[in-house]
Amino acid sequence: MADFTDWTHEQVRQLVDVEQVYAAYQAARTELAQRFAGSMAWKTVRGHQYLYRKRKVAWSSLGPRNSETEAAMRPSMMAGRG
C-alpha cells in the first residue's frame, strides 16, 4: 500500500490557482462559442442594406447598415480571416 503525504501549502496554492484559471478558460470558451455562433451577412432590400444573422436555420435582421451594425459585423469578418 502506498504512503500518502499531506500537500504543502505551495501545492495547495497551485491547485487553487489552476482551478481558477481553468474556470476562467471555460467561461471565455463558452462566451466565444455563443458570440460567434452562426454567421452574418449584409442583405440588400429595396436599395437599403441590412445586417442579418443566421443561427441554426433561421435568419433574423439586426437592423439597417449603420455604425452599430458595422461594429457588430466587424468581429465576424475578423474571425473569417483566420
Side-chain angles (χ1 to χ4, degrees):
M1 187 117 190
D3 292 320
F4 292 97
T5 58
D6 290 333
W7 288 15
T8 65
H9 291 292
E10 179 64 15
Q11 289 171 319
V12 171
R13 186 192 62 75
Q14 288 179 351
L15 176 62
V16 169
D17 288 349
V18 167
E19 287 175 337
Q20 290 174 344
V21 168
Y22 186 68
Y25 162 75
Q26 284 183 313
R29 189 172 172 200
T30 299
E31 179 184 348
L32 285 175
Q34 291 171 352
R35 285 181 62 193
F36 293 105
S39 60
M40 292 181 161
W42 295 107
K43 180 179 178 182
T44 303
V45 179
R46 295 187 202 109
H48 299 283
Q49 286 191 321
Y50 296 87
L51 180 59
Y52 277 78
R53 175 186 287 158
K54 181 180 181 184
R55 291 211 173 163
K56 297 185 182 176
V57 297
W59 285 92
S60 60
S61 175
L62 299 179
R65 191 170 199 152
N66 58 36
S67 59
E68 286 183 29
T69 55
E70 290 274 352
M73 179 63 151
R74 200 167 296 121
S76 179
M77 292 174 61
M78 297 301 287
R81 292 184 182 178

